């Protein structure tokens, strides 16, 4: 490869390696492996920010065309607060000959962390372990894709590349892995829902011997140890027992370790008083310590957790062997394994379950790493009990597995999102890297699910709602959060609106409890929350109807009540729908929007019967015939008046969107195709004087379309997490909620 092709920079000759971070063309067009090899040479703070920007979404742009890499790098530069770098990246021409149609103006920084080294994708992760193979540190986890969670995948922790083919053999999902050595060769031991334990040679990538049967149910936990010089494995399962195996012979040692009253879901090993022990944690809420030489309990059960024990690890603190345990009771506890007494609790927030624990030594200090239900991992000094630095942030789901390793002398933490979510990534971190986040705001701490935009007192403003039970106001021009978060809701804020009442700007938020009104200038509530006198008030949609703010609410699940539409200026109901025998229809509704037809306020609903219906909000009667020839469930709907014509856009499970005449019910043009997953959010607006439709998808992309012709405008916009909400501002900016973050893009 020539220097020019390899470097991809803007200069005529090879890029100077001492100033590589100053050339955005190199970042966009340069060979990935070449640029990746330069990142660790960053000599100063600015260069380290550029390196962090390149790493942030490297798993997405590594094999992507330059047009996608350019957009992701600009987005990540904005997330790190470097708008000048974002702008310079956006202007880089690419081989496709197209300049960027959209520029990233700013973004929040809740999911970026400069301690991130790499993100591994394609895993079906329930567990992860690390080991050194042929001099390189690797991680082993269940494989996704064709592996379907039944195979194991090996990853190089330095390059992020897969090593060899998946290890195939289990007939059920792999629930546990641990690594060890047999005859000086690295191995991984895996346990599965098929009830077996298997041992794999990590050099030859072959199974060693026959599967180890014995558990009467799923194998959920594994740890390895040396006992009298022999390699042992200890496994736990749904049969409420732990079992000990000699890995050299494949034989079970002694009787099962019985005593727990529920599933054994966590196992670790240690040495206490010169004797090898196993430490087991169970859904029965107890921790037990077993002498591996005798198979007998080494002490009484360790009690103190008030809910299921989910994770166990061991360490040595001040010469004493200890266990660290995590639990569904939202605590992590430290135990003295010599006495069986509790030493204390790690000061977790107490608001999320502790799902995973690992231990290591950093700078000579014993350290624990915990993974939690708040989507973060945290490091703890086991000597002082204090948290070390900020949480590791970036996962969009609960962190269900953690491990530690050493890569070229650099200690790393490996974290994996829980399989039940949608993250499906393994992330590698350097915990000793100095964290650098200068973004406009960390923003929400949970998924952004709703967004609205408006011009208030001459400035463009956005309002977002989140699963963290708050709403936030943003200055679209500066990226600054306006005031403090709007608090008061007791559940997810799922609908928001901005407008004015009697000439006074107002923000309205809706959750599963009430509609709340706020002064957007001060963040102070205006009046009392609005609730339905007939019972629970769940916000379903908000919008403008002939210039007046309106909201649609429903009762609780199976309430049997019709939906209600409110005039938010008067706080009075306009009407209910549907009426008559369709009263239970509200329980089937998935998506709602408000609009107007011939001067009448209407509501548009999609339901699980694969229909879309329009309702006269005043009379509660259905308007016209429903759309019934839909092949999939409609997940999102929005309305607008375009060139004097009321229209709606619907997004569906078919991965498409359609534009429909709201008056006649006729489709306008062909379906909008291109997404590869559910179209879950849609919006209508005007950009550069042109009516547009915007679609967002679970495929983590946004597409912009000409609302009249159906032609896509510019390339797809790629994001690092699922897109949950989109909005078009009055000045044509796009607001995109992805994961816990918000990005604002402008037409170029």
């Amino acid at each position: 490869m020539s220097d020019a092709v390899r470097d991809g920079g803007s200069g005529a000759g090879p890029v100077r390696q001492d100033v590589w971070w100053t050339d955005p063309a190199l970042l966009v067009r340069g060979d990935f492996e070449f640029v990746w090899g330069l990142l660790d040479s960053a000599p100063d703070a600015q260069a380290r920010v550029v390196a962090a920007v390149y790493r942030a979404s490297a798993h997405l742009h590594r094999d992507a065309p330059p047009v996608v890499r350019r957009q992701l790098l600009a987005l990540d530069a904005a997330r790190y607060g470097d708008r000048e770098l974002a702008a310079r990246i956006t202007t880089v021409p690419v081989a496709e000959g197209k300049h960027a149609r959209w520029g990233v103006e700013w973004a929040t920084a809740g999911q970026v962390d400069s301690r991130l080294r790499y993100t591994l994708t394609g895993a079906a992760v329930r567990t992860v372990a690390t080991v050194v193979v042929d001099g390189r540190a690797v991680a082993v986890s269940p494989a996704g894709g064709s592996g379907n969670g039944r195979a194991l995948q090996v990853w190089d922790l330095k390059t992020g590349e897969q090593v060899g083919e998946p290890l195939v053999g289990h007939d059920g999902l792999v629930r546990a892995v641990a690594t060890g050595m047999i005859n000086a060769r690295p191995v991984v031991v895996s346990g599965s829902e098929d009830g077996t334990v298997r041992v794999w040679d990590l050099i030859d990538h072959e199974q060693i011997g026959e599967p180890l049967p014995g558990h009467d149910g799923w194998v959920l936990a594994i740890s390895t140890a040396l006992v009298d010089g022999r390699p042992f494995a200890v496994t736990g399962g749904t049969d409420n027992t732990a079992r000990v195996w000699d890995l050299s012979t494949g034989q079970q040692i002694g009787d099962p370790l019985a005593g727990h009253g529920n599933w054994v879901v966590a196992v670790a090993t240690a040495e206490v008083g010169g004797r090898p022990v196993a430490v087991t944690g169970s859904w029965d809420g107890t921790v037990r310590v077993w002498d591996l030489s005798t198979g007998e309990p080494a002490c009484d059960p360790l009690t103190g957790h008030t809910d299921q024990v989910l994770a166990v690890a061991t360490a040595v603190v001040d010469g004493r062997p200890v266990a660290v345990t995590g639990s569904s009771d939202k605590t992590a506890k430290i135990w003295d394994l010599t006495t069986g007494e509790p030493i204390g609790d790690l000061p977790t927030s107490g608001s999320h379950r502790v799902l995973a624990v690992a231990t290591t030594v950093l700078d000579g200090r014993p350290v624990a790493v915990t993974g939690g239900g708040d989507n973060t991992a945290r490091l703890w000094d086991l000597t002082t009990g204090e948290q070390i630095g900020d949480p590791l942030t970036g996962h969009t789901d609960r962190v269900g597995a953690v491990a530690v390793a050493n890569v070229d002398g650099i200690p790393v933490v490996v974290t994996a999102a829980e399989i039940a979510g949608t993250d499906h990534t393994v992330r590698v971190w350097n915990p000793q890297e100095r964290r650098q986040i200068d973004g406009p705001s960390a923003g929400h701490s949970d998924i952004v699910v709703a967004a609205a935009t408006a011009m208030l007192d001459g400035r463009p403003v956005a309002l977002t709602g989140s699963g963290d039970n708050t709403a936030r106001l943003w200055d679209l021009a500066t990226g600054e959060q306006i005031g403090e978060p709007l608090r008061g809701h007791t559940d997810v804020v799922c609908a928001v609106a901005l407008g004015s009442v009697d000439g006074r700007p107002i923000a309205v938020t809706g959750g599963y409890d009430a509609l709340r009104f706020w002064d957007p200038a001060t963040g102070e509530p205006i009046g009392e929350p609005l609730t339905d006198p007939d019972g629970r008030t769940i916000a379903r949609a908000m919008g403008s109807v002939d210039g007046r703010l309106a909201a649609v609410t429903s009762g609780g699940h199976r309430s049997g009540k019709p939906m209600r539409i409110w005039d938010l200026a008067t706080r009075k109901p306009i009407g209910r729908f549907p009426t008559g025998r369709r009263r239970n229809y509200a329980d089937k509704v998935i998506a709602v929007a408000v609009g107007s037809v011939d001067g009448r306020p209407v509501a548009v609903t999609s339901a699980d019967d694969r229909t879309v219906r329009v309702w006269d909000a005043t009379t509660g009667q259905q308007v016209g015939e429903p759309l019934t020839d839909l092949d999939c469930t409609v997940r999102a709907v929005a309305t607008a008046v375009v060139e004097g014509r009321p229209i709606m856009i619907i997004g569906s499970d078919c991965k498409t969107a359609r534009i429909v005449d709201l008056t006649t019910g006729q489709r306008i043009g062909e379906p909008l195709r291109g997404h590869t997953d559910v179209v879950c959010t849609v919006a209508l607006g005007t950009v550069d004087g042109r009516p547009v439709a915007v679609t967002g998808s679970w495929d983590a992309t946004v597409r912009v379309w000409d609302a009249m012709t159906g032609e896509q405008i510019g390339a797809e916009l790629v994001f690092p997490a699922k897109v949950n909400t989109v909005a078009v501002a009055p000045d044509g900016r796009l607001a995109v909620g992805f994961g816990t973050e918000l990005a604002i893009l402008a037409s170029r």
Side-chain angles (χ1 to χ4, degrees), residues 651-695:
S652 77
D653 287 357
C654 288
K655 308 171 188 177
T656 63
R658 297 217 62 153
I659 299 175
V660 180
D661 187 304
L662 195 52
T663 303
T664 66
Q666 296 298 310
R667 279 77 165 168
I668 300 174
E670 295 297 316
L672 308 181
R673 305 182 188 278
H675 288 293
T676 59
D677 208 329
V678 173
V679 177
C680 57
T681 178
V682 294
L684 293 163
T686 302
V687 176
D688 298 333
R690 184 181 187 182
V692 301
V694 184
T695 56

Side-chain angles (χ1 to χ4, degrees), residues 169-479:
H170 282 293
D171 295 324
L173 299 179
V174 176
R175 289 282 175 177
V177 294
T179 55
M181 303 291 287
I182 298 179
N183 297 326
R185 295 177 68 88
V187 300
V188 62
V189 186
S190 57
S192 165
E193 291 181 6
D194 64 13
T196 68
V197 176
R198 294 173 188 256
V199 185
W200 311 83
D201 186 306
L202 286 175
I203 295 178
D204 295 337
H205 274 233
E206 293 181 351
Q207 184 174 313
I208 300 173
E210 296 298 315
L212 312 182
H215 280 286
D216 184 17
W218 297 358
V219 180
L220 299 176
I222 300 177
S223 183
T224 60
L226 280 177
V227 178
D228 296 329
R230 294 182 297 167
F232 276 27
V234 185
T235 60
T238 59
D239 57 4
N240 303 353
T241 71
R243 295 170 188 259
V244 184
W245 309 85
D246 187 319
L247 295 180
S248 297
T249 64
Q251 298 299 308
Q252 183 174 318
I253 305 298
D255 294 328
L257 309 181
H260 284 294
N262 209 323
W263 293 3
V264 178
V265 298
V267 177
T269 56
E271 187 174 283
V272 178
R275 300 181 67 85
V277 301
V279 186
T280 56
S282 167
W283 278 9
D284 66 8
T286 70
V287 177
R288 293 176 181 258
V289 185
W290 310 85
D291 188 317
L292 288 178
S293 299
T294 65
E296 296 297 320
C299 60
D300 291 334
L302 313 184
T303 58
H305 284 295
T306 59
D307 207 334
Q308 300 166 342
V309 175
L310 303 176
V312 175
T314 60
V316 176
V317 178
D318 293 332
R320 296 181 300 169
V322 303
V324 185
T325 57
S327 169
S328 289
D329 66 10
K330 305 174 183 177
T331 68
K333 296 180 180 293
I334 306 174
W335 310 82
D336 187 316
L337 289 178
T338 302
T339 65
E341 296 296 319
I343 296 174
D345 290 2
L346 298 177
T348 59
S349 63
S351 58
H352 298 279
R353 294 187 300 160
V354 180
L355 304 171
V357 180
T359 58
T360 188
V361 176
L362 290 179
D363 296 329
R365 297 179 298 171
V367 170
V369 183
T370 58
D374 60 353
N375 304 351
T376 71
R378 298 169 187 262
L379 279 73
W380 308 88
D381 186 318
L382 288 177
T383 302
T384 66
E386 296 298 317
Q387 183 172 317
I388 302 172
D390 295 325
L392 302 176
T393 59
H395 283 292
T396 57
D397 281 310
R398 296 171 295 188
V399 176
V402 295
V404 293
N406 189 288
V407 179
D408 291 344
I410 299 173
V412 300
V413 172
V414 183
T415 61
E418 218 176 28
I419 187 63
T422 59
D423 185 313
H424 299 169
T425 65
V426 175
R427 296 175 186 249
V428 183
W429 315 80
N430 177 2
Q432 295 179 319
E433 177 74 25
R434 184 172 52 192
R435 194 181 191 202
Q436 302 163 352
I437 293 184
D438 298 317
S441 171
H444 289 287
S445 60
D446 207 327
I447 303 299
V448 176
V449 296
T453 60
M455 295 293 292
L456 297 182
D457 290 336
R459 74 171 169 174
V461 174
L463 175 64
T464 53
S466 167
D468 63 11
N469 304 355
T470 72
R472 295 173 188 251
L473 284 155
W474 308 90
D475 187 313
L476 284 181
T478 67

Side-chain angles (χ1 to χ4, degrees), residues 98 101 659 668-673 690-693 703-714:
K98 293 182 179 180
R101 182 66 177 80
I659 299 175
I668 300 174
E670 295 297 316
L672 308 181
R673 305 182 188 278
R690 184 181 187 182
V692 301
R703 294 172 185 260
V704 183
W705 317 79
D706 186 301
M708 291 293 94
T709 67
E711 176 188 358
Q712 185 170 318
I713 303 171

